[in-house]
């Protein structure tokens, strides 16, 4: 029907737009019923489907009425009335059975008259007479009804535009539906067509003038055009074309093709010859300067300034500005609002112009664009995009320049978008040609890639690259090799290869050339210390190579101090740890974020050291700063450790829900980066917090998580192995298995004094052994553990650890029935936990204090302690405190854990094991196992005896 893009044979089904078809139908009905002219404008972007809409309306809605179509063509703009000539040309009678008695002679007469005296040069009176004659001719043709479609009016000549304006002012007195189809942005002659009559509505009776503006197809409508195509592919096509049906059909592998292909403007993708023939008409008659600027715009692609256009097109800047505005008027390029820049009208148009450009010119233009962007200080993404495009073109002249651009761009954006930076570095590696002088360059790019992908969490690939290239790096006084080795050691450490990390760091540190700067040595020493801590063999002092180097500053030194402080904490050297922590924190706090963001391990070590020294505010400050920086830089390699540290802070402060959430997120990151020992930490921390939460099925879940952590750790001598073992010990004790708890703690501790466990936390582990002994009815062993806890707490001098020791001894006295003697110890423990910011442990101590006060007949203190314990328990999110408050007090109840006492109370009411299990969310077999232990501890052999035993406890001990 038309030579426009709308009429390219596409095979597209007609989807949507039914309301618009109805509007054309109503306009036609109005013309027939009134017996006078009705105008319907159909406007929109190129390819939006204007002609297709009219075609569907003529064939589906008004097939019984004659219609004729005139189409404008850009090469006929100099021919007056050419669109009307095309509609009423000899041999083109209107469709659908229009009679042969039409005034064909009149047709030739009027257009001959128009050719002899075109209205553009005639007097007003003569022009008016010509327009009236044309109006009368059209009226004769439409006396029985006619649909006259004038298509592509953006290419109309001035005479045709004037006649249309005349018909709008003096409507044809016949049932004529005049359909005007055009692109508003591309009208070469200003169109005098106005908006539709005011006050009209879509469903109202149509007025004499309607305007239909076509919008893009929705994603759902686009999907209808691509049946059987993957939804992601459909979305990609929709985003690239903006829902324009003409461009959808023009894409390589479009709906009319046999299969869908990747559509994000792939290199080498070509539009069809039919599409190119149609689109080429838009720029075929452009002047040379305008055409050069249009081709340059297709090369530049992104929104461009006239200065860049001038450089790429190789024309003076003033001419480029003028050509740009002419292209805007032709709607080939458009101004980007609010930027002062321009862009091609549509990506498909850009593809077409680029495809129509000489390949050799494209290569040189891309190179000019790249040079201009570098000179103009364009963004890394812009520079790299042209370098990538230039490398894809059939020319190798610019490879070295492109590699430089890609590497610099990758370094600039590696913190914001590491995946894109890695993509560019891989392109640079592929572009490097194997020449004698390119070996060092290849190593530099490979090292940069290893750093970027390692920071993004791809540790395995980073390790493989580092193993290949680091041994080949020459020693240098600047310390670049030392820093590369430290990076390699860090990746090995994150993957759990602690021995390898320490070995390569020690070897490199011993071989450092004299005069090497301290930064590399600090990093190597830091890796030695970190690997030692994780392997379970902390190294508190600096290596011999650094023993005489007290000077230095910056984040590298702070990282070494932080790791040494953490090692001192593990050894129980509290005073040394405080000094190292303060020294490292002073450096880090004085540094801006840009100097700290590449040292997440430093902030992790500072945060953990502060936590174990019970300076929770400092721990939160360092860890939250680290989390903010690594999240902004998308660094998975540092995120997991910071999340683990923050989870421990939340756990020690009693925020169980937060601790579980942080540990869960850390586990997700650990799985993503492939670190088994970090995943073991995450599962262990989640298990501890879950066990203390004490909700339905929490016991089984906590034990399961802790067992998985132990399986991942494999070696109980490592820090992760000991952490997993003690987490499983906590979970088994709280689930009613004190024997397993004691075995695990002693195995992790190595001896009776738990010398392999962290020195500053030994009072807490002795308290755990004390609780296990009490639950097993071994009061003598419990007292021994409590006294060991008191001795260790006195040695380390930390408030919270003294609270654990006092709590353990108070529980022993309470179990003996010495409630009065237990009161001061439990009260002191609650106060110490409060000072240490340990809300969960304070609530537990207050619960024991309430029980002791009740046993000592001190009602008011007991009620106060009970109320405060329950308030803190609700804040922490634990149900353990409520269960503990319901437990009996005295030597006869000493053997029962909280869970066992709960089950005993339920069994005493006559509830079956199945119902008990359903209520507690455990299996009947687990209930029976608990009852077996209860029978043994209580010295009974049957349910009736157990009922009597529970009743005696309730009567005498509560």
């Amino acid at each position: 029907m038309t030579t426009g893009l709308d009429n390219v044979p596409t095979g597209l089904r007609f989807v949507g737009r039914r309301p618009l078809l109805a509007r054309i139908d109503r306009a036609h009905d109005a013309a027939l019923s009134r017996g006078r002219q009705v105008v319907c404008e159909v406007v929109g972007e190129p390819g939006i489907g204007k002609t297709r809409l009219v075609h569907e309306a003529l064939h589906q809605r008004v097939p019984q009425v004659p219609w004729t179509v005139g189409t404008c063509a850009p090469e006929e703009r100099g021919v007056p009335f050419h669109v009307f000539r095309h509609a009423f040309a000899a041999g083109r009678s209107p469709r659908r059975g229009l009679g042969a008695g039409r005034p064909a002679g009149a047709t030739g007469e009027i257009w001959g008259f128009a050719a002899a005296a075109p209205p553009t040069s005639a007097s007003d009176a003569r022009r008016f007479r010509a327009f009236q004659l044309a109006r009368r001719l059209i009226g004769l043709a439409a006396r029985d009804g006619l649909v006259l479609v004038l298509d592509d009016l953006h290419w109309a000549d001035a005479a045709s535009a004037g006649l249309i304006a005349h018909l709008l002012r003096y409507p044809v007195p016949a049932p004529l539906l005049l359909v005007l189809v055009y692109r508003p942005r591309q009208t070469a002659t200003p169109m005098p067509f106005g908006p539709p009559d005011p006050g009209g509505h879509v469903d109202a009776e149509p007025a004499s003038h309607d305007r239909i503006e076509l919008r893009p197809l929705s994603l759902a409508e686009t999907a209808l055009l691509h049946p059987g195509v993957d939804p992601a592919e459909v979305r990609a096509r929709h985003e690239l074309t903006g829902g324009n049906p003409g461009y959808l059909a023009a894409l390589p592998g479009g709906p009319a093709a046999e299969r869908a292909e990747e559509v994000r403007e792939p290199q080498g993708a070509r539009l069809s010859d039919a599409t190119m023939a149609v689109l080429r008409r838009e720029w075929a008659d452009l002047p040379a300067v305008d055409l050069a600027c249009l081709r340059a715009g297709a090369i530049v692609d992104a929104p461009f300034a006239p200065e860049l256009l001038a450089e790429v097109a190789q024309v003076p800047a003033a001419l480029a500005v003028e050509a740009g505005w002419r292209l805007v008027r032709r709607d080939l390029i458009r101004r980007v609002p609010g930027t002062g820049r321009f862009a091609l009208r549509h990506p498909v148009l850009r593809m077409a112009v680029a495809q129509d450009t000489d390949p050799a010119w494209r290569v040189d233009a891309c190179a000019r664009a790249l040079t201009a962007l570098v000179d103009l200080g364009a963004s890394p993404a812009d520079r790299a995009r042209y370098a990538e495009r230039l490398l894809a073109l059939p020319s190798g002249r610019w490879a070295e320049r492109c590699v430089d651009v890609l590497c610099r761009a990758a370094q600039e954006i590696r913190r914001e978008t590491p995946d894109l930076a890695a993509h560019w570095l891989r392109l640079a590696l592929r572009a490097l040609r194997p020449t004698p002088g390119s070996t060092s360059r290849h190593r530099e790019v490979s090292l940069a890639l290893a750093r970027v992908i390692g920071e993004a969490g791809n540790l395995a690939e980073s390790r493989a690259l580092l193993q290949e290239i680091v041994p080949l790096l020459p020693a240098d006084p600047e310390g670049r090799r030392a820093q590369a080795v430290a990076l390699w050691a860090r990746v090995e450490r994150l993957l759990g290869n602690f021995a390898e990390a320490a070995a390569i760091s020690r070897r490199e540190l011993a071989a450092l050339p004299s005069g090497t700067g301290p930064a590399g040595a600090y990093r190597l020493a830091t890796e030695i210390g970190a690997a030692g801590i994780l392997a379970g063999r902390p190294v508190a002092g600096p290596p011999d190579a650094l023993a005489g180097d007290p000077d230095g500053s910056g984040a590298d030194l702070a990282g070494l101090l932080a790791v040494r402080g953490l090692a001192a904490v593990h050894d129980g050297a509290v005073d040394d740890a405080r000094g190292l922590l303060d020294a490292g924190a002073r450096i880090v706090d004085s540094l801006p974020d840009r100097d700290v963001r590449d040292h997440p391990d430093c902030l992790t070590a500072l945060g953990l050291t502060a936590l174990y020294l019970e300076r929770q505010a400092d721990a939160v400050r360092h860890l939250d700063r680290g989390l903010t920086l690594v999240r902004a830089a998308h660094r998975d390699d540092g995120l997991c450790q910071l999340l683990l540290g923050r989870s421990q802070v939340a756990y020690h402060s009693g925020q169980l829900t937060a601790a579980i959430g942080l540990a869960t997120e850390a586990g997700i990151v650990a799985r993503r980066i492939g670190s088994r020992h970090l995943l073991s930490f995450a599962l262990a921390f989640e298990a501890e917090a879950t066990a203390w939460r004490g909700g339905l099925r929490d016991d089984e879940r906590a034990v399961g998580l802790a067992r998985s952590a132990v399986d991942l750790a494999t070696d109980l001598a490592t820090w992760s192995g000991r952490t997993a073992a003690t987490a499983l010990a906590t979970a088994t004790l709280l689930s009613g298995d004190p024997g397993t708890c004691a075995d695990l703690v002693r195995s992790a501790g190595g001896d009776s004094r738990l010398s392999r466990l962290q020195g500053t936390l030994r009072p807490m582990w002795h308290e755990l052994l004390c609780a296990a002994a009490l639950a097993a009815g071994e009061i003598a062993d419990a007292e021994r553990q409590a006294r060991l806890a008191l001795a260790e707490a006195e040695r380390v001098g930390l408030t919270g650890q003294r609270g654990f020791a006092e709590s353990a001894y108070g529980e022993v006295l309470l179990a003996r029935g010495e409630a009065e003697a237990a009161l001061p110890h439990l009260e002191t423990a609650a106060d110490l936990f409060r000072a240490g910011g340990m809300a969960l442990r304070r609530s537990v101590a207050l619960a024991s204090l309430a029980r002791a006060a009740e046993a000592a007949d001190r009602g008011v203190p007991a009620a106060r302690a009970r109320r405060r314990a329950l308030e803190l328990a609700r804040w922490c999110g634990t149900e353990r405190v409520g269960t503990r408050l319901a437990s009996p007090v005295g030597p006869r109840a000493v053997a029962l854990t909280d869970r066992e006492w709960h089950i005993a109370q339920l069994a005493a009411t006559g509830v079956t094991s199945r119902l008990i299990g359903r209520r507690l969310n455990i299996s009947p077999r687990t209930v029976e196992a608990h009852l077996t232990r209860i029978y043994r501890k209580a010295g009974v052999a049957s349910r009736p005896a157990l009922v009597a035993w529970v009743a005696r406890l309730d009567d005498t001990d509560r």
Side-chain angles (χ1 to χ4, degrees):
M1 180 182 296
T2 177
T3 56
L5 179 61
D6 304 278
N7 203 40
V8 175
T10 64
L12 287 176
R13 293 187 298 131
F14 186 83
V15 298
R17 297 177 173 173
R18 301 298 171 183
L20 303 184
L21 290 175
R23 287 173 64 179
I24 297 177
D25 196 12
R26 285 195 296 272
H28 177 255
D29 292 342
L32 291 177
S33 62
R34 298 174 186 175
R36 59 192 304 270
Q37 169 184 302
V38 173
V39 178
C40 184
E41 292 184 59
V42 180
V43 299
E45 296 283 317
I48 202 67
K50 302 179 294 296
T51 303
R52 181 66 181 274
L53 177 72
V54 175
H55 181 274
E56 292 294 328
L58 293 177
H59 284 79
Q60 297 181 18
R61 299 287 181 154
V62 289
Q64 72 281 9
V65 177
W67 50 269
T68 187
V69 177
T71 303
C72 296
E75 59 271 15
E76 295 181 0
R77 286 175 177 170
V79 180
F81 301 110
H82 75 274
V83 66
F84 291 95
R85 289 173 175 270
H86 186 247
F88 294 104
R92 284 177 55 89
S93 62
R95 276 69 164 175
R96 304 299 182 193
L98 188 65
R102 295 296 181 223
T107 302
E109 178 183 345
I110 184 62
W111 304 127
F113 172 81
T120 53
S121 61
S123 65
D124 291 341
R126 191 170 182 184
R127 183 166 55 248
F128 183 81
R129 287 198 300 271
F131 288 161
Q132 282 291 86
L133 285 172
R135 172 175 170 269
R136 189 176 304 125
L137 173 66
I138 296 171
L140 288 173
R143 66 187 179 207
D144 294 328
L146 178 66
V147 178
L148 175 57
V149 180
L150 303 180
D151 199 2
D152 287 343
L153 287 177
H154 45 278
W155 286 323
D157 60 280
S160 296
L163 178 53
I164 294 171
H166 185 83
L167 294 176
L168 293 176
R169 183 173 177 81
Y170 302 98
V172 174
L176 170 68
L177 174 60
L178 181 60
V179 182
L180 309 177
V181 185
Y182 63 97
R183 309 169 187 172
R185 287 176 174 264
Q186 296 186 18
T187 52
T189 303
M191 290 292 177
F193 316 144
D197 292 342
H201 300 280
V202 172
D203 296 327
E205 183 70 17
S208 60
H209 186 181
D210 191 13
R211 180 185 176 95
I212 297 175
E213 296 189 24
L214 271 68
R215 305 296 181 189
L217 298 178
S218 66
L219 179 59
E221 291 169 337
T222 302
L224 292 176
L225 295 177
H226 298 77
V229 178
D230 182 72
E233 174 76 5
V234 173
R235 183 178 295 275
R237 290 181 177 276
H238 182 79
E239 291 176 356
L240 178 61
T241 61
N244 186 303
Y247 294 142
L248 280 168
L251 283 179
E258 294 182 359
R259 63 182 181 90
E261 301 171 359
E262 190 65 30
V263 298
R264 294 191 180 277
E265 296 193 53
Q267 297 292 341
R270 296 183 63 81
L271 301 176
S272 67
D273 292 342
T275 300
M276 285 299 302
V278 171
L279 287 171
R280 193 179 290 116
R281 294 163 62 90
E282 296 195 44
W283 64 80
D285 60 343
L286 287 177
V289 173
D290 295 12
L291 184 58
C293 289
L294 180 65
R295 298 191 189 282
I299 296 299
V300 173
D301 183 14
F304 48 82
E307 296 81 9
L308 180 59
L309 203 65
E311 292 291 335
V312 177
Q314 293 183 300
V315 299
L319 291 181
V321 172
E322 295 175 2
W325 285 111
R326 286 193 295 269
L327 294 173
V328 168
R329 287 192 290 272
R330 294 285 291 267
D331 196 37
L332 290 166
I333 67 174
R334 292 177 180 175
R335 186 177 182 183
V336 180
T339 64
R341 295 173 178 266
F342 301 90
L344 263 75
R345 182 182 75 222
H346 197 277
V348 173
L349 179 64
R350 191 207 69 77
M351 294 170 65
V353 175
Q355 183 173 323
D356 195 49
T357 302
D358 178 63
W361 193 91
R362 280 209 313 271
V363 172
D364 293 339
C366 267
R368 292 193 295 270
L370 182 59
T371 302
L373 287 169
V374 172
D375 294 342
L376 293 172
S379 68
D382 287 341
R383 302 197 307 267
R385 183 170 63 251
Y386 291 105
E388 184 175 353
R389 184 178 299 171
L390 194 55
L391 287 174
L393 293 175
S395 174
R397 291 179 297 157
W398 310 98
E400 289 295 330
R401 179 67 184 278
C402 292
V403 168
D404 291 338
V405 169
L406 289 170
C407 291
R408 282 199 297 268
Q411 290 301 317
E412 291 179 27
I413 67 142
R414 68 184 178 90
R415 295 185 180 90
E416 291 77 19
T417 51
D419 291 342
L420 185 58
H423 169 68
W424 289 343
L425 289 171
R426 288 190 175 96
L427 284 176
L429 278 178
R430 287 199 294 268
L432 282 173
R433 296 178 176 178
T435 60
S438 66
T439 304
S440 61
R441 182 63 168 152
H442 190 277
R443 292 174 188 164
E444 291 175 4
V445 179
S446 298
L447 182 60
L449 177 60
R451 178 177 290 108
V452 169
I453 61 178
E455 291 175 354
N458 191 347
L459 299 179
E461 184 181 356
S462 177
R463 178 191 183 213
L465 278 172
L466 291 167
Q467 286 178 328
E468 177 185 349
I469 60 177
V470 170
L472 303 177
L473 294 176
D476 60 294
E478 293 81 9
R480 288 192 295 269
R481 175 187 164 89
Q483 295 184 33
V485 173
L487 175 63
W488 180 14
R490 181 174 184 273
V491 172
E492 295 283 5
R493 167 171 59 83
L494 289 174
L495 288 171
N497 305 319
F498 310 131
E500 291 87 341
I504 60 178
S505 298
R506 289 185 185 279
R507 185 168 58 247
E508 186 66 22
L509 190 61
L512 281 179
S514 59
T516 302
Y522 287 152
R523 294 189 183 186
L524 291 169
T526 299
E527 288 305 321
I528 294 172
I533 293 171
L534 290 167
R537 297 179 293 276
V539 181
D544 296 339
L546 294 179
D549 185 16
D551 300 327
S553 61
D556 292 317
L557 176 58
L560 176 59
L561 294 173
V563 168
R564 289 178 58 196
L566 187 57
V569 163
H570 273 264
D571 285 343
V574 174
D575 291 337
D576 292 344
R578 287 195 181 107
L580 292 165
L581 172 63
D582 291 339
R586 278 195 299 271
I587 296 174
V588 169
D589 291 342
S590 67
L591 294 175
D593 286 348
R594 66 175 179 273
D595 294 338
V596 182
R597 61 189 173 191
D598 287 335
H599 299 80
D601 296 346
C602 171
L603 293 170
T604 301
L606 288 175
L608 290 175
T609 305
L611 171 64
Y612 296 139
L613 292 175
E614 299 182 2
R615 291 159 56 171
Q616 290 188 14
D618 291 339
V620 170
R621 177 166 55 85
H622 294 308
L623 293 170
D624 283 354
R625 185 185 185 188
L627 283 171
T628 300
L629 293 176
V630 299
R631 288 189 193 278
H634 307 283
R635 289 196 59 169
D636 279 357
D637 65 328
L639 177 60
C640 184
Q641 300 168 91
L642 288 161
L643 286 170
L644 291 172
R646 196 63 181 83
S647 173
Q648 279 294 277
V649 174
Y651 173 70
H652 280 275
S653 63
Q655 303 171 29
L656 296 179
T657 301
I660 293 171
L662 289 163
T664 301
E665 185 181 357
I668 293 171
V669 178
R671 290 184 179 91
R672 191 160 64 224
I673 66 178
S675 177
R676 290 174 58 88
H677 83 282
L678 290 179
L679 179 57
S680 177
F681 275 119
L683 295 175
F685 293 164
E686 185 180 355
E688 282 185 309
T690 302
W692 271 107
R693 186 172 61 183
L696 294 177
R697 305 194 69 86
D698 276 347
D699 284 349
E700 293 183 10
R701 175 167 175 76
V703 171
L705 288 169
R707 291 195 188 281
S708 298
V710 171
D711 293 341
L712 285 168
T714 64
D715 185 2
L716 290 183
T718 63
W719 189 11
S720 62
R722 297 196 303 265
T723 300
T726 52
L728 181 57
T730 300
T732 53
L733 174 63
L734 292 175
S735 66
D737 187 0
T740 301
C741 169
D743 292 342
L744 285 166
V745 174
R746 290 191 174 96
S747 176
D751 53 36
S752 61
R753 302 193 65 87
L754 308 182
S755 57
R756 286 201 313 192
L757 294 180
Q758 184 174 322
T760 52
L761 297 181
R762 283 177 197 156
M764 181 176 70
W765 302 127
H766 282 298
E767 188 270 346
L768 184 63
L769 285 175
C770 176
L774 289 174
E778 302 171 358
I779 297 181
D781 184 44
E783 183 177 0
R784 186 172 65 84
Q785 296 297 334
R787 292 190 181 280
L788 287 172
L790 287 170
E792 289 290 339
E794 183 67 25
R795 184 181 65 81
V796 299
L798 294 174
T799 302
Q801 296 304 309
R802 287 176 53 212
F804 281 107
E806 292 287 346
S807 175
Y809 198 72
E811 292 286 355
V812 171
L813 294 175
L814 185 59
R816 286 177 173 172
E818 302 174 18
E820 285 286 352
L823 284 174
H825 292 282
L826 294 172
E827 189 172 0
T828 300
D831 292 340
L832 290 170
F833 285 135
R834 179 181 182 181
M838 301 179 180
L840 174 63
R841 298 310 307 228
R842 184 186 173 210
S843 68
V844 174
L846 286 171
S848 297
L849 179 63
R851 295 165 63 220
E854 289 171 356
D857 293 327
R858 296 191 180 185
V860 175
R864 183 168 59 248
R866 175 181 288 270
R867 183 176 61 254
R868 187 58 182 147
L870 291 174
E871 289 174 354
L872 287 172
R874 282 192 294 272
W875 183 84
C876 294
T878 179
E879 298 181 17
R880 298 288 181 188
V881 172
T883 305
R884 179 159 299 196
L885 285 169
S887 301
V889 177
R892 282 179 295 179
V894 70
L896 297 186
T897 65
D898 294 341
R899 173 53 65 90
E900 288 170 349
W901 174 246
H902 194 186
I903 291 174
Q905 285 183 308
L906 292 173
T909 64
V911 179
T912 65
S913 297
R914 182 177 299 277
L915 291 177
I916 293 174
R918 186 176 302 172
R919 180 168 178 177
L920 299 181
N921 260 326
I922 57 179
S923 67
R925 181 176 298 180
T926 303
V927 174
E928 291 295 336
H930 279 299
L931 285 173
T932 300
R933 286 194 292 268
I934 292 170
Y935 290 162
R936 177 175 54 80
K937 294 176 182 180
V940 298
S942 63
R943 283 281 185 108
L946 178 63
V947 171
W949 185 80
V950 171
R952 286 197 302 273
L953 285 178
D954 281 338
D955 291 339
T956 61
D957 294 318
R958 290 298 307 274

